[in-house]
Protein backbone atom coordinates (compact mmCIF):
# COMPACT_ATOMS: atom_id res chain seq x y z
CA UNK A 1 0.00 0.00 0.00
CA UNK A 2 1.59 3.25 -1.07
CA UNK A 3 1.48 6.42 0.98
CA UNK A 4 -0.80 8.00 -1.62
CA UNK A 5 -3.38 5.21 -1.52
CA UNK A 6 -6.36 5.83 0.71
CA UNK A 7 -8.68 2.84 1.02
CA UNK A 8 -12.24 3.24 -0.24
CA UNK A 9 -13.59 2.44 3.23
CA UNK A 10 -11.62 5.30 4.79
CA UNK A 11 -12.97 7.66 2.14
CA UNK A 12 -16.52 6.46 2.87
CA UNK A 13 -15.92 7.07 6.59
CA UNK A 14 -14.66 10.55 5.71
CA UNK A 15 -17.72 11.26 3.59
CA UNK A 16 -20.08 10.13 6.35
CA UNK A 17 -18.20 12.19 8.94
CA UNK A 18 -18.34 15.22 6.65
CA UNK A 19 -22.10 14.74 6.21
CA UNK A 20 -22.47 14.63 9.99
CA UNK A 21 -20.63 17.95 10.19
CA UNK A 22 -22.88 19.45 7.52
CA UNK A 23 -25.91 18.33 9.55
CA UNK A 24 -24.38 20.06 12.56
CA UNK A 25 -23.91 23.26 10.58
CA UNK A 26 -27.53 23.09 9.39
CA UNK A 27 -28.53 22.83 13.07
CA UNK A 28 -26.42 25.91 13.81
CA UNK A 29 -28.22 27.74 11.02
CA UNK A 30 -31.57 26.69 12.46
CA UNK A 31 -30.54 28.03 15.87
CA UNK A 32 -29.55 31.35 14.33
CA UNK A 33 -32.84 31.60 12.46
CA UNK A 34 -34.65 30.73 15.68
CA UNK A 35 -32.83 33.53 17.47
CA UNK A 36 -34.50 36.07 15.15
CA UNK A 37 -37.92 35.03 16.43
CA UNK A 38 -39.66 37.41 18.79
CA UNK A 39 -40.55 34.56 21.15
CA UNK A 40 -37.88 31.88 21.60
CA UNK A 41 -40.09 29.52 23.60
CA UNK A 42 -38.89 26.23 25.03
CA UNK A 43 -38.61 25.23 28.66
CA UNK A 44 -38.19 28.44 30.60
CA UNK A 45 -37.41 31.61 28.75
CA UNK A 46 -34.30 31.74 26.64
CA UNK A 47 -32.57 34.98 25.87
CA UNK A 48 -31.27 35.72 22.42
CA UNK A 49 -27.66 35.73 23.60
CA UNK A 50 -28.11 32.24 25.07
CA UNK A 51 -29.27 30.97 21.69
CA UNK A 52 -26.28 32.64 20.02
CA UNK A 53 -23.97 31.02 22.57
CA UNK A 54 -25.53 27.63 21.88
CA UNK A 55 -25.11 28.18 18.13
CA UNK A 56 -21.47 29.16 18.65
CA UNK A 57 -20.80 26.06 20.74
CA UNK A 58 -22.29 23.75 18.11
CA UNK A 59 -20.49 25.63 15.32
CA UNK A 60 -17.14 24.88 16.99
CA UNK A 61 -18.07 21.20 17.40
CA UNK A 62 -19.27 20.97 13.81
CA UNK A 63 -16.07 22.61 12.57
CA UNK A 64 -14.03 19.98 14.40
CA UNK A 65 -16.09 17.16 12.92
CA UNK A 66 -15.78 18.78 9.48
CA UNK A 67 -12.00 18.96 9.84
CA UNK A 68 -11.86 15.28 10.77
CA UNK A 69 -14.13 14.32 7.86
CA UNK A 70 -12.12 16.29 5.31
CA UNK A 71 -8.93 14.90 6.81
CA UNK A 72 -10.18 11.35 6.29
CA UNK A 73 -11.25 12.15 2.74
CA UNK A 74 -7.75 13.43 2.03
CA UNK A 75 -6.10 10.43 3.71
CA UNK A 76 -4.68 12.27 6.72
CA UNK A 77 -3.92 9.80 9.50
CA UNK A 78 -4.41 12.37 12.27
CA UNK A 79 -8.13 12.55 11.43
CA UNK A 80 -8.88 8.95 12.45
CA UNK A 81 -8.85 9.46 16.23
CA UNK A 82 -11.05 12.60 16.33
CA UNK A 83 -13.50 10.95 13.92
CA UNK A 84 -13.69 7.83 16.08
CA UNK A 85 -14.12 9.89 19.24
CA UNK A 86 -17.01 11.80 17.69
CA UNK A 87 -18.67 8.57 16.62
CA UNK A 88 -18.53 7.29 20.19
CA UNK A 89 -20.13 10.53 21.37
CA UNK A 90 -22.81 10.15 18.69
CA UNK A 91 -23.49 6.60 19.90
CA UNK A 92 -23.97 7.92 23.43
CA UNK A 93 -26.39 10.51 22.11
CA UNK A 94 -28.26 7.83 20.16
CA UNK A 95 -28.45 5.66 23.28
CA UNK A 96 -30.03 8.55 25.18
CA UNK A 97 -32.46 9.23 22.32
CA UNK A 98 -33.49 5.58 22.28
CA UNK A 99 -33.83 5.06 26.03
CA UNK A 100 -34.79 7.99 28.23
CA UNK A 101 -36.06 10.20 25.40
CA UNK A 102 -38.09 7.47 23.72
CA UNK A 103 -37.20 8.65 20.19
CA UNK A 104 -36.13 5.50 18.29
CA UNK A 105 -36.18 7.17 14.86
CA UNK A 106 -33.83 9.93 15.97
CA UNK A 107 -31.65 7.30 17.66
CA UNK A 108 -31.41 5.35 14.41
CA UNK A 109 -30.58 8.45 12.36
CA UNK A 110 -27.71 9.19 14.75
CA UNK A 111 -26.50 5.63 15.39
CA UNK A 112 -26.47 4.10 11.89
CA UNK A 113 -23.87 6.47 10.38
CA UNK A 114 -21.81 6.36 13.58
CA UNK A 115 -21.69 2.56 13.52
CA UNK A 116 -20.84 2.64 9.81
CA UNK A 117 -17.91 5.02 10.35
CA UNK A 118 -16.59 2.89 13.21
CA UNK A 119 -16.88 -0.22 11.03
CA UNK A 120 -15.13 1.40 8.06
CA UNK A 121 -12.24 2.65 10.21
CA UNK A 122 -11.79 -0.69 12.02
CA UNK A 123 -12.23 -3.12 9.14
CA UNK A 124 -9.19 -4.77 7.54
CA UNK A 125 -8.49 -1.94 5.07
CA UNK A 126 -8.93 0.78 7.68
CA UNK A 127 -6.64 -0.94 10.16
CA UNK A 128 -3.99 -1.58 7.51
CA UNK A 129 -4.13 2.07 6.45
CA UNK A 130 -3.83 3.19 10.06
CA UNK A 131 -0.96 0.79 10.78
CA UNK A 132 0.88 2.01 7.71
CA UNK A 133 1.06 5.50 9.24
CA UNK A 134 3.12 4.28 12.21
CA UNK A 135 5.84 2.69 10.09
CA UNK A 136 9.14 4.46 9.60
CA UNK A 137 9.53 5.87 6.06
CA UNK A 138 12.30 3.38 5.26
CA UNK A 139 10.14 0.41 6.43
CA UNK A 140 7.25 1.13 4.06
CA UNK A 141 6.75 -0.95 0.96
CA UNK A 142 6.07 1.98 -1.38
Amino acid sequence: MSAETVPRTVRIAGALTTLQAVAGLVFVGALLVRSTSSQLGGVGELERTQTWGEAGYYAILAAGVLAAGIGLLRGKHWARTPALLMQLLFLGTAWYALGPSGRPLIAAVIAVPAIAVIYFLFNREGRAWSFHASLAPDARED
Side-chain angles (χ1 to χ4, degrees), residues 50-63:
Q50 291 172 320
T51 305
W52 291 342
E54 185 179 8
Y57 174 77
Y58 285 116
I60 291 169
L61 287 177

Side-chain angles (χ1 to χ4, degrees), residues 70-84:
I70 292 172
L72 286 174
L73 284 171
R74 299 181 77 197
K76 304 297 182 185
H77 292 277
W78 60 262
R80 185 174 188 258
T81 300
L84 286 171

Side-chain angles (χ1 to χ4, degrees), residues 6-53:
V6 180
R8 183 175 57 91
T9 58
V10 174
R11 289 191 189 273
I12 292 170
L16 287 172
T17 304
T18 302
L19 287 174
Q20 290 169 330
V22 169
L25 292 173
V26 167
F27 178 69
V28 167
L31 283 173
L32 292 174
V33 167
R34 181 176 183 239
S35 72
T36 62
S37 172
S38 61
Q39 198 172 32
L40 295 176
V43 178
E45 285 299 317
L46 295 175
E47 294 179 18
R48 200 164 316 282
T49 55
Q50 291 172 320
T51 305
W52 291 342

